[in-house]
Amino acid sequence: INAEYMGISNRTFEPNASMTTRPTAVCRTSLGNFTVELFTDQMPITAWNFIGLARSGFYDGIHFHRIIDGFIIQFGCPFARDPYCRKAGTGRPEPRSSYICPGRGEIRRSDTGCIPDEFVEPNCPRISNELGTLSMANMAFAESGGFQFFVNLA
C-alpha cells in the first residue's frame, strides 16, 4: 500500500440534523482510495497538524510501514518512501517546524518534531480507537506523537 497523495477538501454532512463542516483527507493508495474525516472541532491540534503535513506534501509517496492484519495499518514516516528502508517508522517532520491551528494560532513542533499532547487538556473528548478511525501514533510517552498515523482495522 502506498499513500501516494493526500488531498485536503471540505465535506459537509448532517449529524443529528445540524450542519457541520469538517475537513477530509483523500488517501490514494495502490490498492484503492479511502477518505478520512478530521475532527478539527474535537482534536484541533492533532487534526490541523495532519492537515498541515498533508498540504506540505509530507505524506506524498510514503508507504504504509506497519501492517498488522486485523489490527492497524500505519503510515507517516518519511523513510518509508523507500519500502525496503530499515529506518521506516523512525523518521520525523522538521524539528521546530510549525503549522497554524485555527483558534489557537501557531503550533511549533518540538526539537524532535512532535506536537503537544492534546488528550491532557481539560474537556478533551475521549475518542477511542474504533474500527475505521484514524489515530495519531506515539512512542508511549508524553508529547511523542505528531506525524505517524494509523487506521484501526479492529
Side-chain angles (χ1 to χ4, degrees), residues 106-139:
E106 182 180 34
I107 304 288
R108 185 160 304 281
R109 294 180 183 92
S110 70
D111 290 338
T112 58
C114 297
I115 63 172
D117 285 339
E118 195 159 24
F119 60 86
V120 297
E121 293 188 6
N123 303 318
C124 179
R126 299 295 180 218
I127 302 172
S128 64
N129 292 328
E130 296 177 15
L131 176 64
T133 58
L134 179 71
S135 299
M136 185 174 67
N138 64 40
M139 293 177 271

Side-chain angles (χ1 to χ4, degrees), residues 2 24-27 31 33 62 78 97 101-103 114 128 137 145 148:
N2 182 357
T24 60
V26 177
C27 303
L31 295 179
N33 303 336
I62 290 180
S97 58
C101 180
C114 297
S128 64
Q148 293 188 37

Side-chain angles (χ1 to χ4, degrees), residues 15-93:
N16 302 323
S18 66
M19 293 301 285
T20 303
T21 300
R22 287 185 176 140
T24 60
V26 177
C27 303
R28 302 189 193 287
T29 78
S30 59
L31 295 179
N33 303 336
F34 61 95
T35 301
V36 294
E37 180 179 4
L38 302 165
F39 285 51
T40 54
D41 56 329
Q42 294 181 29
M43 303 298 284
I45 293 171
T46 303
W48 284 102
N49 171 66
F50 181 90
I51 291 167
L53 290 170
R55 284 182 171 161
S56 75
F58 183 83
Y59 296 118
D60 292 356
I62 290 180
H63 290 75
F64 287 96
H65 66 271
R66 184 175 182 211
I67 301 169
I68 302 174
D69 191 34
F71 181 53
I72 65 164
I73 54 173
Q74 186 170 329
F75 66 94
C77 177
F79 292 128
R81 284 188 177 85
D82 173 357
Y84 304 105
C85 182
R86 292 180 186 251
K87 292 172 143 184
T90 65
R92 296 180 159 74

